[in-house]
Amino acid sequence: MPAPCKGRRADHPKGPSGTRVFHLRQRSGWGRYTLTASDGRKATVSLCVKCRNYRGQWQRHGRQTLVYAYWGLSPSSGQWVYETYRLRFGIETTYRQLREARIRTCTREPLLRLFYVGVALLLRNVWVWLHWEVLAHPRRGGRRIDLNQLPFRMMLSWIQQLVEALLLPWDAIEAQRPMPI
């Protein structure tokens, strides 16, 4: 997991402290850090420092220092740690998009809530399938996927408009007699 940047800043008279020391490095490497709780308990974790160049990503240049804390692993390289954590990013994005598509309800019925989560997962998988099968640009070396062609929220908005258009005829009920006032 990423190690948060904590401790004194580099311009402090006593110098940097905490995990900030690792965040200020300019070269990749390894380290150990001891966390101390307020009640005196201590835990020592291993740290992997991965430095990379921005190369214009996010309109930035220079070095980026990524610090990962781990315990109980023997990683082969800093690049492996970096790539393994990047896989988690996809999982976190899926959960964020799941929350975007999930139906909001105040019911406490667990089966109905589970059904709503299932619908949200189905919608997200349809979005992924559309990008892979329909919207991807075939090219040598694999498909090029452009997620900006159909953002997830736009697809949800289209589905909402379609459902509203289909349900509109049942929205107004004609009365046989005028309502008494």
Side-chain angles (χ1 to χ4, degrees), residues 12-72:
H12 192 274
K14 292 185 178 180
S17 67
T19 57
R20 191 173 301 270
V21 172
F22 297 98
H23 283 271
L24 293 173
R25 284 190 184 176
Q26 294 296 311
R27 295 182 66 192
S28 299
W30 307 94
R32 294 178 70 74
Y33 183 72
T34 302
L35 300 159
T36 306
S38 58
D39 61 357
R41 294 181 299 152
K42 294 183 178 186
T44 301
V45 294
S46 299
L47 292 176
C48 171
V49 179
K50 168 70 175 147
C51 293
R52 61 184 286 270
N53 294 324
Y54 279 112
R55 295 186 315 252
Q57 187 177 16
W58 306 301
Q59 289 79 40
R60 297 187 72 179
H61 297 279
R63 297 288 273 174
Q64 179 186 28
T65 304
L66 304 166
V67 181
Y68 300 100
Y70 63 93
W71 180 34

